[in-house]
Amino acid sequence: MSFFEDAFTPVLYFHTSLRLPSAVMVLELVSLSDRPDGSQQALGRGFTVLELFTNRPEVQASDGVQRLNLHHGSPRSLLHPLLKDTVDCKELFFLNILSHLDCVIKKHPALAPAMHLLPENVLLSGNENVPGLAASPTGDALLRPQLLKTLPFTLNRLTISLQPSLEKFESQLLQLINADCHNTKQPGPEGTVRTVVIQERRLHVGVHNGWCFLDKPQVVVLEPLASGSRGRSDSTSKQSTLGKDSNIAHLEMDLQREGDASQDEGDQLQELPFTPVHAPVITLGMNMPSSCSVSSRSSLAHLYSAGFPDIADSAGQAAEVLDPTEPVPFDPQREESGPLQGDLLVFQFLAFTRTPAAGVGPDWPENIHFTFQFYRFPPVTSQQLKLLASDKVQQKACVPLPCVLASINRDGTVNSGPPGLQVQFRADGGFLKAGEKRWFLRYLALHTMHIDIWDSDSLLLIGSTAVELKYMLRQGKSAVQALHELEVLTTDYVGEDALLTSAHDRTKEARLARELHQMKPSERHSKAEGIANMLSQAITTQHLLYANLGTAEYMEFVLKNPFNVPQTVTIHSDDPELRAITNTEEWGYFKALSKSPTPLEENMFHLEEGAPGPRVYLRPKESIHIPLKYQSFLCDHTMALQVQWGREFDADATVRNAPPQKLLQMVTFTAEDGKPMAICQVNVEPTAHVVDQTFRLYHPELCFLKKAIRLPPWDDPTGAAYPDVRTHISVRCSDPNIICQTRMLAPGEPQDVYLKVPGSPSPNIKMFFVMVFTDKWMAAPSQIWQIYVHFLERVDVSCVTGQRSCQSLVLRGKQAVRKVKCFSSHPQEIEVDPEGVFVLPPAAVQELQLKVQPWRAGSRFLYVNAVDVENRRLVTAWLLCLNVHRPVLSKAFEVCVPVGGGRGSSRKITYTNPYTNSRSFLLRSDHPDLLQFKEEKFQISGGESYTIGLRFAPSQSPGSVEILVYVNNLEEKTEETFCVKVNYS
């Protein structure tokens, strides 16, 4: 748009989205004069109205030039109420006959690419400074706009400050807004007062060039930051504050009448279907498919030549070899009717195959150990094992041979005896209780044993695997054996080493607590009370009960009325774990499971609110069967290593259980006079339970862990008598402080178990069990999961791929002097300084330097462990939360590499030193297996060029991959980044 008045011919640019005939532009002619103080005085000379999108012929001139008459006065007069509904207001203003403006309006398509840099409906001249546009030699940057190159960036840990404090700023803001609302006429009944309340603090974050936002701002919610905290907090802090000159981009307000909030609370909100944002952990299930793979003949020959001890029967004959790829028939009668009185189960760990992994070297790991639990035997932590690679056998790089496992002596040398690790479990009459053998055989037929593999040096988890136990069924033979090759899977929910003590620890503590509870009042008992106790023993019936975690034990107590008059008996239990079954349907369910022939009576119990227990009516001299159920979901969660690093562990010794402890439970049947009629004393002997699967979860310290575990699609374990078993899935947790629940979903939809675990300080480990029931009355758990939650100290790191970032950590000493060494889960991406072993005095503070240089963009979790190298104990553990960004690319290349033939391709890239002095540079790549450099370090004078030699490895299959080439300085800071797209064809 150009204007003409004498020599005044400016060119102005604007863009608008209001293409309406009623849209007009108001122009004011202003004269500027200098004042004595150097400032300028603006004086209006008139204004005019320009119709932009009119089709009236009288407005358009033949040559495209429009003549605009100037009116006296200020354009603010257009806001007068008399002109509100006026269509043509030109007749109401005096014309300035001596002055007029001629203008030409034209479309300017060249401005379209730069429209995002200019505000809408604002006139700009070509000599205005518009950030984002390159300067023009003609002086008019908008005539042919040239956009500058954009660079991506990321803001992390943005803190907004408000002066003088957050509380005072918001208080003053609310006072001003409320005062403005009070002075403004508002609709509503007279006398009502509306107040403004800050419900949420939002911030619009975007790139602004001084004229407008370049893109739609991103809206983030501000949370007050607690003083000294490293994470989010809901408490208000005086440190959370915006500078005095800063503006609030957006403020959410709630206008409500004062005092009316409690009068109208509104309707109850309807809950909507909700899916958690975190991906659930997938269980292996009871009937996990076989994970065995077939080794190469060279690998098998290498194993058999290592000299592992043979597995033989009692007569010294070699055990029959079973094929793990073939199904195993399960005949319970044939297994139970065998001539042998017991079973000796032997697990041999032979070898471990190293596989290439990102961030670790080819010789990782050097030493490993295993943790697992078989049946209800105590958990086992194996001794430290050395990985021995054969120097005599030639192997291909793509097909690594397994490393033979060898035990390590106390002095650190390799044991010269037979290689491998052998663990034995004896299941005979001394271990299995009466009637337990059939359950043990069913366990072997249906279950898998979960095994965790650890790096013994860093105490970091390498991965987990599971082996099917059905191949240990002898099927009438004297001895059988099977060779399994299992894949070790690395998951994102496993963690650091710890084990569980058997359940008898908890029973011991509970028993002692009950004994103390009973002994202290007994000291104050009188002789009469002592006689009463002796009389109560005469009406006491004792039962011995072997109980498993989560399994309901059903029993029937014969209650007889010894009187010649009717009695209403109250049933009272001193522990909710032992109670009477009052539901008729539940009673019938347990009678069917136990095949009890006693009669079932409808509505036998009378329940009253506030009563000490259910009541039952008995006729004179009548006897009835009272159904009782004992079921406990609680156990001890104290973790201790059952066997420790080979000092207490004998590889050839048989693992046995510790002697059980007993619990005392009592049910009292009280007559109408308040005196006991009968007492049922149940001596509970808890037995170790089976663990079907183990989960290890990493989580930041002092934070709630919220996790979902997906249930497996198992079948009904109790048979077809209850076809609706899938509709009655319920869960229980062994720790009452942990929330554990599952929700009923639509048929065919997967079902998850939701956990909410309270946090603990680092490096604490919380262990608990989750019991999953698939029957309505929870008779026995279908699966028991053992879950470890490892709470680690969280460290947030924001970095760029290929570039080294430094982070400081603080390691605090404990009570004793320790020799400590730090290990990382990805040594090629994280270096810890000091690198070797150092002495950590008591109560001392040691600063550690982390050098993080990742090669893959995205959010990742890495781990750093500080280990006591003498006692093989974890001192401190850190969880590194990496937010890795892609670098800014300087150049992009493309190359074609032929497929097959074993030949790669060589190329060259020229790099120019941008500095005036001589510099040394390092070459790095995110795919060192695909790209190698002729020289990884070079020195070049200032301003000179250097030719980078690239060697691309061959590929056996077609495809394409992008390889990033980093030119770093000696401090591993990236100077330039090149992207090379390699097409294999």
Side-chain angles (χ1 to χ4, degrees):
M1 181 173 63
S2 301
F3 294 90
F4 310 94
E5 185 191 17
D6 298 337
F8 179 69
T9 58
V11 179
L12 303 179
Y13 302 86
F14 78 98
H15 69 95
T16 181
S17 59
L18 303 175
R19 293 187 57 87
L20 301 174
S22 60
V24 297
M25 180 181 294
V26 179
L27 303 173
E28 183 180 12
L29 185 64
V30 180
S31 64
L32 300 176
S33 59
D34 296 332
R35 292 177 177 176
D37 59 355
S39 61
Q40 288 186 332
Q41 180 182 6
L43 182 62
R45 296 298 185 180
F47 71 94
T48 185
V49 178
L50 174 62
E51 299 181 28
L52 297 177
F53 306 108
T54 181
N55 294 324
R56 291 188 296 168
E58 63 272 15
V59 177
Q60 301 292 340
S62 59
D63 55 356
V65 178
Q66 296 187 35
R67 172 160 294 187
L68 305 176
N69 296 320
L70 293 178
H71 302 278
H72 288 287
S74 170
R76 287 188 292 272
S77 57
L78 296 173
L79 303 177
H80 195 276
L82 295 177
L83 301 179
K84 180 178 180 181
D85 299 326
T86 304
V87 178
D88 194 355
C89 58
K90 297 179 181 179
E91 296 81 2
L92 301 179
F93 298 97
F94 293 101
L95 291 176
N96 187 350
I97 303 176
L98 300 178
S99 300
H100 65 271
L101 292 176
D102 294 332
C103 70
V104 177
I105 301 178
K106 296 181 180 180
K107 295 181 179 180
H108 189 41
L111 191 63
M115 287 174 53
H116 65 287
L117 301 175
L118 309 175
E120 192 175 5
N121 303 322
V122 175
L123 294 175
L124 294 175
S125 64
N127 56 2
E128 294 277 3
N129 182 20
V130 179
L133 291 180
S136 175
T138 62
D140 190 348
L142 298 178
L143 181 61
R144 294 180 180 84
Q146 298 293 328
L147 298 179
L148 295 177
K149 183 180 179 181
T150 60
L151 299 177
F153 70 97
T154 303
L155 291 179
N156 290 322
R157 300 180 181 178
L158 183 64
T159 303
I160 306 300
S161 299
L162 296 168
Q163 298 295 340
S165 68
L166 176 62
E167 296 87 347
K168 293 183 179 179
F169 177 86
E170 292 186 345
S171 176
Q172 295 174 2
L173 178 64
L174 291 178
Q175 291 178 3
L176 294 175
I177 297 178
N178 287 324
D180 183 71
C181 293
H182 181 72
N183 297 328
T184 304
K185 184 178 180 181
Q186 303 180 26
E190 296 184 359
T192 59
V193 180
R194 295 190 175 186
T195 59
V196 176
V197 180
I198 298 178
Q199 289 187 330
E200 194 176 60
R201 303 167 184 87
R202 294 185 181 181
L203 183 69
H204 285 208
V205 181
V207 179
H208 200 284
N209 68 342
W211 292 98
C212 63
F213 282 102
L214 304 188
D215 200 355
K216 184 178 180 181
Q218 181 178 357
V219 181
V220 296
V221 177
L222 297 178
E223 294 185 2
L225 185 64
S227 177
S229 66
R230 292 161 43 203
R232 287 188 170 184
S233 175
D234 294 333
S235 61
T236 305
S237 170
K238 295 184 179 180
Q239 293 184 355
S240 301
T241 83
L242 206 205
K244 296 180 180 178
D245 299 331
S246 302
N247 297 323
I248 294 199
H250 184 79
L251 182 65
E252 287 286 322
M253 293 178 289
D254 180 23
L255 293 176
Q256 61 180 9
R257 297 173 184 171
E258 187 174 3
D260 288 354
S262 60
Q263 299 178 4
D264 185 14
E265 297 182 356
D267 298 331
Q268 181 71 26
L269 291 177
Q270 184 69 29
E271 184 179 0
L272 299 176
F274 173 73
T275 302
V277 295
H278 51 265
V281 176
I282 306 300
T283 60
L284 297 179
M286 294 178 60
N287 300 319
M288 187 193 70
S290 176
S291 58
C292 296
S293 58
V294 179
S295 300
S296 63
R297 294 185 181 273
S298 59
S299 298
L300 294 176
H302 174 58
L303 290 179
Y304 280 104
S305 62
F308 295 104
D310 295 330
I311 297 179
D313 58 10
S314 57
Q317 299 296 324
E320 183 175 342
V321 179
L322 300 181
D323 188 354
T325 61
E326 296 181 357
V328 175
F330 175 46
D331 187 353
Q333 296 182 354
R334 185 179 182 184
E335 294 289 341
E336 291 186 41
S337 61
L340 300 179
Q341 299 298 322
D343 293 294
L344 181 64
L345 301 105
V346 181
F347 293 89
Q348 277 189 340
F349 298 86
L350 307 180
F352 183 87
T353 303
R354 298 187 179 111
T355 57
V360 296
D363 295 333
W364 179 86
E366 296 183 0
N367 305 303
I368 64 173
H369 66 277
F370 305 96
T371 59
F372 60 93
Q373 183 176 8
F374 174 68
Y375 192 49
R376 58 180 183 85
F377 290 90
V380 174
T381 297
S382 76
Q383 64 190 100
Q384 189 175 352
L385 301 170
K386 184 76 173 180
L387 271 67
L388 301 180
S390 176
D391 298 332
K392 301 179 181 179
V393 181
Q394 296 182 356
Q395 56 178 326
K396 298 180 180 179
C398 58
V399 185
L401 286 178
C403 298
V404 175
L405 301 178
S407 58
I408 300 177
N409 300 322
R410 295 183 179 182
D411 57 358
T413 60
V414 178
N415 194 329
S416 59
L421 171 69
Q422 183 168 302
V423 184
Q424 299 179 2
F425 299 90
R426 187 176 299 277
D428 51 15
F431 174 77
L432 299 177
K433 296 178 173 59
E436 187 184 357
K437 186 173 182 180
R438 66 181 60 181
W439 294 102
F440 174 68
L441 296 174
R442 185 176 182 272
Y443 167 80
L444 294 178
L446 300 178
H447 284 72
T448 59
M449 188 177 72
H450 187 93
I451 304 174
D452 289 331
I453 300 94
W454 304 86
D455 181 356
S456 298
D457 297 326
S458 65
L459 302 186
L460 289 167
L461 184 74
I462 299 174
S464 304
T465 188
V467 58
E468 292 180 290
L469 300 174
K470 61 184 179 181
Y471 297 98
M472 306 190 79
L473 296 171
R474 291 188 288 106
Q475 308 171 44
K477 304 178 178 64
S478 60
V480 294
Q481 62 176 327
L483 177 63
H484 296 265
E485 184 176 358
L486 307 173
E487 294 184 358
V488 178
L489 304 179
T490 302
T491 59
D492 62 346
Y493 58 87
V494 292
E496 180 273 331
D497 177 41
L499 286 177
L500 161 73
T501 57
S502 57
H504 69 267
D505 292 333
R506 178 255 177 190
T507 61
K508 179 180 179 180
E509 295 176 5
R511 180 177 63 86
L512 292 177
R514 287 188 175 88
E515 289 178 355
L516 292 175
H517 180 71
Q518 295 171 0
M519 290 172 60
K520 290 182 179 180
S522 67
E523 297 174 358
R524 301 188 298 267
H525 284 177
S526 62
K527 181 181 294 185
E529 292 174 341
I531 296 175
N533 289 335
M534 294 177 61
L535 294 176
S536 67
Q537 294 179 3
I539 60 174
T540 300
T541 304
Q542 295 192 12
H543 293 276
L544 177 61
L545 185 66
Y546 298 101
N548 284 325
L549 177 66
T551 301
E553 302 295 340
Y554 174 75
M555 67 197 82
E556 293 182 353
F557 180 79
V558 180
L559 177 63
K560 181 179 180 180
N561 181 9
F563 306 105
N564 293 322
V565 295
Q567 291 285 335
T568 300
V569 181
T570 302
I571 305 173
H572 173 70
S573 174
D574 58 354
D575 197 316
E577 294 179 348
L578 179 61
R579 64 176 182 87
I581 300 177
T582 58
N583 186 285
T584 306
E585 184 182 356
E586 182 182 3
W587 187 5
Y589 179 82
F590 281 99
K591 285 181 68 66
L593 288 181
S594 60
K595 299 179 181 180
S596 174
T598 57
L600 175 67
E601 186 175 342
E602 297 281 348
N603 302 322
M604 188 173 72
F605 297 97
H606 177 62
L607 303 177
E608 290 184 3
E609 186 176 356
R615 295 175 179 176
V616 61
Y617 175 80
L618 278 81
R619 301 179 183 90
K621 303 294 184 178
E622 182 186 14
S623 297
I624 61 175
H625 291 80
I626 304 296
L628 300 176
K629 182 179 76 169
Y630 175 82
Q631 189 173 27
S632 178
F633 303 112
L634 305 179
C635 69
D636 179 51
H637 302 104
T638 304
M639 289 174 293
L641 296 178
Q642 297 295 319
V643 194
Q644 186 178 10
W645 308 115
R647 290 193 291 268
E648 293 85 6
F649 180 77
D650 184 359
D652 296 324
T654 300
V655 182
R656 292 189 177 272
N657 235 343
Q661 305 293 333
K662 294 182 180 180
L663 287 174
L664 181 63
Q665 302 280 357
M666 295 182 64
V667 178
T668 306
F669 301 89
T670 308
E672 294 178 357
D673 57 0
K675 296 181 180 180
M677 179 184 297
I679 298 176
C680 177
Q681 178 177 318
V682 180
N683 299 315
V684 181
E685 184 176 307
T687 57
H689 54 274
V690 173
V691 175
D692 295 287
Q693 191 165 349
T694 302
F695 298 94
R696 296 183 181 269
L697 310 174
Y698 276 136
H699 197 67
E701 61 177 347
L702 303 176
C703 297
F704 276 98
L705 167 68
K706 298 179 181 180
K707 199 69 176 177
I709 302 179
R710 178 144 297 174
L711 292 170
W714 51 53
D715 298 326
D716 180 6
T718 60
Y722 297 91
D724 59 341
V725 64
R726 296 181 62 84
T727 63
H728 294 289
I729 295 180
S730 55
V731 292
R732 292 292 184 271
C733 183
S734 61
D735 190 342
N737 298 319
I738 295 175
I739 298 176
C740 179
Q741 60 184 1
T742 184
R743 299 179 182 178
M744 192 64 62
L745 302 177
E749 292 294 327
Q751 195 163 349
D752 296 338
V753 174
Y754 301 96
L755 298 175
K756 184 178 180 181
V757 184
S760 296
S762 172
N764 288 4
I765 304 171
K766 188 182 292 292
M767 193 282 301
F768 55 93
F769 296 97
V770 172
M771 293 146 277
V772 183
F773 298 87
T774 56
D775 60 309
K776 181 179 180 180
W777 300 109
M778 298 190 302
S782 294
Q783 281 203 3
I784 297 181
W785 301 335
Q786 186 180 32
I787 300 179
Y788 295 91
V789 181
H790 303 259
F791 293 98
L792 311 180
E793 185 176 345
R794 174 169 180 163
V795 179
D796 294 303
V797 180
S798 180
C799 49
V800 181
T801 60
Q803 181 170 276
R804 177 179 293 174
S805 301
C806 296
Q807 181 79 28
S808 297
L809 300 179
V810 174
L811 178 61
R812 302 185 183 275
K814 306 297 181 181
Q815 292 82 3
V817 178
R818 296 189 176 188
K819 291 184 178 181
V820 179
K821 184 177 181 180
C822 294
F823 299 88
S824 67
S825 59
H826 295 70
Q828 294 185 347
E829 295 182 330
I830 302 177
E831 296 181 7
V832 185
D833 186 20
E835 182 180 1
V837 179
F838 59 91
V839 177
L840 182 64
V845 177
Q846 173 71 41
E847 183 179 5
L848 305 176
Q849 289 291 332
L850 293 185
K851 300 176 182 179
V852 184
Q853 192 171 7
W855 303 103
R856 181 164 52 90
S859 298
R860 302 172 58 193
F861 295 96
L862 306 181
Y863 311 96
V864 174
N865 282 0
V867 180
D868 185 341
V869 295
E870 291 184 332
N871 300 318
R872 310 307 307 170
R873 298 288 184 179
L874 184 65
V875 178
T876 306
W878 290 275
L879 174 63
L880 303 185
C881 303
L882 266 61
N883 189 10
V884 187
H885 307 280
R886 284 179 59 89
V888 178
L889 300 180
S890 304
K891 297 179 182 179
F893 304 90
E894 188 171 8
V895 63
C896 292
V897 177
V899 175
R903 297 179 56 188
S905 180
S906 299
R907 294 291 189 274
K908 297 179 181 179
I909 295 179
T910 302
Y911 175 74
T912 302
N913 182 6
Y915 301 98
T916 57
N917 55 346
S918 178
R919 294 290 180 96
S920 296
F921 298 96
L922 304 173
L923 294 177
R924 300 287 185 259
S925 170
D926 62 342
H927 286 77
D929 56 331
L930 301 179
L931 174 62
Q932 295 181 350
F933 302 101
K934 182 179 180 180
E935 295 179 345
E936 294 187 352
K937 181 179 180 181
F938 64 92
Q939 185 174 1
I940 183 175
S941 302
E944 294 187 359
S945 298
Y946 173 80
T947 301
I948 301 175
L950 308 177
R951 179 65 181 177
F952 296 93
S955 175
Q956 301 301 323
S957 59
S960 62
V961 63
E962 289 186 352
I963 302 177
L964 297 182
V965 177
Y966 300 91
V967 182
N968 294 353
N969 57 21
L970 297 182
E971 297 179 355
E972 292 289 357
K973 300 296 181 181
T974 301
E975 300 279 352
E976 300 280 351
T977 305
F978 304 144
C979 179
V980 182
K981 183 177 181 180
V982 184
N983 296 317
Y984 297 97
S985 59

